[in-house]
Amino acid sequence: MSLIDNINKAFDHRIRLGIMSILMVNDHADFKTLKELLEVTDGNLASHTKALEKEAYIKVEKQFIGRKPNTRYSATKVGKRAFQKHIEALEKLIGK
């Protein structure tokens, strides 16, 4: 097995890495929070959350708070496991 076998292509973009990092330490985060923390555009964030949702790494919940739509994201068990493996693979790669 090579050092890069567990490096996950789904996390190879800094925005996806950021989304997962935030969701690993918080139960959930809404769209606005992710956008502000990562300093990205709506479209950019939307495409990366869709990619992670497609892999079933994050769960998306849409709701209304008052009359405003709110989209909330959380990491799934599968997503947390995959991200943990990815981080461990990176640590091995850099020889931590």
Side-chain angles (χ1 to χ4, degrees), residues 2 5 20 27 29 32 41 52 61-62 75 88:
S2 91
D5 282 352
M20 286 306 292
D27 288 338
K32 186 173 177 269
T41 63
L52 291 170
E61 297 169 276
K62 293 183 183 280
E88 286 164 9

PDB file of all heavy atoms in Angstrom, residues 2 5 20 27 29 32 41 52 61-62 75 88:
ATOM      1  N   SER A   2       0.570   2.192  -0.883  1.00  0.00           N
ATOM      2  CA  SER A   2       1.388   3.406  -0.959  1.00  0.00           C
ATOM      3  C   SER A   2       0.927   4.447   0.063  1.00  0.00           C
ATOM      4  O   SER A   2      -0.175   4.365   0.608  1.00  0.00           O
ATOM      5  CB  SER A   2       1.327   3.990  -2.372  1.00  0.00           C
ATOM      6  OG  SER A   2       0.284   4.912  -2.498  1.00  0.00           O
ATOM      7  N   ASP A   5      -2.498   6.188  -0.753  1.00  0.00           N
ATOM      8  CA  ASP A   5      -3.726   5.418  -0.972  1.00  0.00           C
ATOM      9  C   ASP A   5      -4.946   5.965  -0.236  1.00  0.00           C
ATOM     10  O   ASP A   5      -6.042   5.937  -0.761  1.00  0.00           O
ATOM     11  CB  ASP A   5      -3.530   3.941  -0.581  1.00  0.00           C
ATOM     12  CG  ASP A   5      -2.775   3.172  -1.647  1.00  0.00           C
ATOM     13  OD1 ASP A   5      -2.548   3.730  -2.743  1.00  0.00           O
ATOM     14  OD2 ASP A   5      -2.405   2.019  -1.381  1.00  0.00           O
ATOM     15  N   MET A  20     -15.197  20.507   5.726  1.00  0.00           N
ATOM     16  CA  MET A  20     -15.134  19.322   6.578  1.00  0.00           C
ATOM     17  C   MET A  20     -14.473  19.631   7.920  1.00  0.00           C
ATOM     18  O   MET A  20     -14.923  19.140   8.951  1.00  0.00           O
ATOM     19  CB  MET A  20     -14.395  18.180   5.875  1.00  0.00           C
ATOM     20  CG  MET A  20     -15.179  17.510   4.775  1.00  0.00           C
ATOM     21  SD  MET A  20     -16.824  16.897   5.251  1.00  0.00           S
ATOM     22  CE  MET A  20     -16.415  15.563   6.366  1.00  0.00           C
ATOM     23  N   ASP A  27     -21.284  20.622  15.502  1.00  0.00           N
ATOM     24  CA  ASP A  27     -22.370  19.695  15.134  1.00  0.00           C
ATOM     25  C   ASP A  27     -22.927  20.034  13.767  1.00  0.00           C
ATOM     26  O   ASP A  27     -23.289  19.156  12.995  1.00  0.00           O
ATOM     27  CB  ASP A  27     -23.503  19.742  16.163  1.00  0.00           C
ATOM     28  CG  ASP A  27     -23.100  19.076  17.468  1.00  0.00           C
ATOM     29  OD1 ASP A  27     -22.170  18.238  17.440  1.00  0.00           O
ATOM     30  OD2 ASP A  27     -23.707  19.399  18.495  1.00  0.00           O
ATOM     31  N   ALA A  29     -23.253  23.676  10.736  1.00  0.00           N
ATOM     32  CA  ALA A  29     -22.988  25.076  10.387  1.00  0.00           C
ATOM     33  C   ALA A  29     -23.923  25.435   9.246  1.00  0.00           C
ATOM     34  O   ALA A  29     -24.206  24.598   8.390  1.00  0.00           O
ATOM     35  CB  ALA A  29     -21.537  25.252   9.959  1.00  0.00           C
ATOM     36  N   LYS A  32     -24.411  30.624   5.619  1.00  0.00           N
ATOM     37  CA  LYS A  32     -23.834  31.949   5.894  1.00  0.00           C
ATOM     38  C   LYS A  32     -22.557  31.829   6.740  1.00  0.00           C
ATOM     39  O   LYS A  32     -21.552  32.486   6.460  1.00  0.00           O
ATOM     40  CB  LYS A  32     -24.878  32.812   6.604  1.00  0.00           C
ATOM     41  CG  LYS A  32     -24.474  34.251   6.812  1.00  0.00           C
ATOM     42  CD  LYS A  32     -25.667  35.037   7.380  1.00  0.00           C
ATOM     43  CE  LYS A  32     -25.286  36.468   7.660  1.00  0.00           C
ATOM     44  NZ  LYS A  32     -24.798  36.691   9.013  1.00  0.00           N
ATOM     45  N   THR A  41     -17.403  32.768  -2.280  1.00  0.00           N
ATOM     46  CA  THR A  41     -18.655  33.253  -2.873  1.00  0.00           C
ATOM     47  C   THR A  41     -19.756  32.210  -2.684  1.00  0.00           C
ATOM     48  O   THR A  41     -19.473  31.034  -2.430  1.00  0.00           O
ATOM     49  CB  THR A  41     -18.493  33.501  -4.391  1.00  0.00           C
ATOM     50  OG1 THR A  41     -18.202  32.247  -5.028  1.00  0.00           O
ATOM     51  CG2 THR A  41     -17.388  34.513  -4.685  1.00  0.00           C
ATOM     52  N   LEU A  52     -19.605  17.368  -1.772  1.00  0.00           N
ATOM     53  CA  LEU A  52     -19.504  16.590  -0.531  1.00  0.00           C
ATOM     54  C   LEU A  52     -20.810  15.866  -0.225  1.00  0.00           C
ATOM     55  O   LEU A  52     -20.804  14.744   0.280  1.00  0.00           O
ATOM     56  CB  LEU A  52     -19.106  17.501   0.640  1.00  0.00           C
ATOM     57  CG  LEU A  52     -17.683  18.050   0.590  1.00  0.00           C
ATOM     58  CD1 LEU A  52     -17.479  19.121   1.653  1.00  0.00           C
ATOM     59  CD2 LEU A  52     -16.663  16.932   0.747  1.00  0.00           C
ATOM     60  N   GLU A  61     -29.728  20.141   5.442  1.00  0.00           N
ATOM     61  CA  GLU A  61     -31.091  20.340   5.933  1.00  0.00           C
ATOM     62  C   GLU A  61     -31.535  21.746   5.571  1.00  0.00           C
ATOM     63  O   GLU A  61     -30.874  22.718   5.930  1.00  0.00           O
ATOM     64  CB  GLU A  61     -31.148  20.181   7.452  1.00  0.00           C
ATOM     65  CG  GLU A  61     -30.789  18.800   7.941  1.00  0.00           C
ATOM     66  CD  GLU A  61     -30.609  18.786   9.447  1.00  0.00           C
ATOM     67  OE1 GLU A  61     -29.505  19.117   9.906  1.00  0.00           O
ATOM     68  OE2 GLU A  61     -31.586  18.466  10.143  1.00  0.00           O
ATOM     69  N   LYS A  62     -32.656  21.830   4.866  1.00  0.00           N
ATOM     70  CA  LYS A  62     -33.212  23.143   4.510  1.00  0.00           C
ATOM     71  C   LYS A  62     -34.414  23.405   5.396  1.00  0.00           C
ATOM     72  O   LYS A  62     -35.235  22.527   5.603  1.00  0.00           O
ATOM     73  CB  LYS A  62     -33.599  23.181   3.042  1.00  0.00           C
ATOM     74  CG  LYS A  62     -32.379  23.102   2.135  1.00  0.00           C
ATOM     75  CD  LYS A  62     -32.761  23.222   0.683  1.00  0.00           C
ATOM     76  CE  LYS A  62     -31.569  23.070  -0.217  1.00  0.00           C
ATOM     77  NZ  LYS A  62     -30.755  24.259  -0.347  1.00  0.00           N
ATOM     78  N   ALA A  75     -21.666  16.955   9.184  1.00  0.00           N
ATOM     79  CA  ALA A  75     -20.879  15.835   8.666  1.00  0.00           C
ATOM     80  C   ALA A  75     -21.598  14.532   9.021  1.00  0.00           C
ATOM     81  O   ALA A  75     -22.127  14.386  10.117  1.00  0.00           O
ATOM     82  CB  ALA A  75     -19.482  15.852   9.264  1.00  0.00           C
ATOM     83  N   GLU A  88      -5.191  11.329   8.575  1.00  0.00           N
ATOM     84  CA  GLU A  88      -4.145  10.377   8.989  1.00  0.00           C
ATOM     85  C   GLU A  88      -3.182  10.090   7.851  1.00  0.00           C
ATOM     86  O   GLU A  88      -1.971   9.994   8.058  1.00  0.00           O
ATOM     87  CB  GLU A  88      -4.781   9.083   9.510  1.00  0.00           C
ATOM     88  CG  GLU A  88      -5.408   9.254  10.882  1.00  0.00           C
ATOM     89  CD  GLU A  88      -6.372   8.120  11.267  1.00  0.00           C
ATOM     90  OE1 GLU A  88      -6.436   7.091  10.537  1.00  0.00           O
ATOM     91  OE2 GLU A  88      -7.065   8.275  12.292  1.00  0.00           O
TER      92      GLU A  88
END
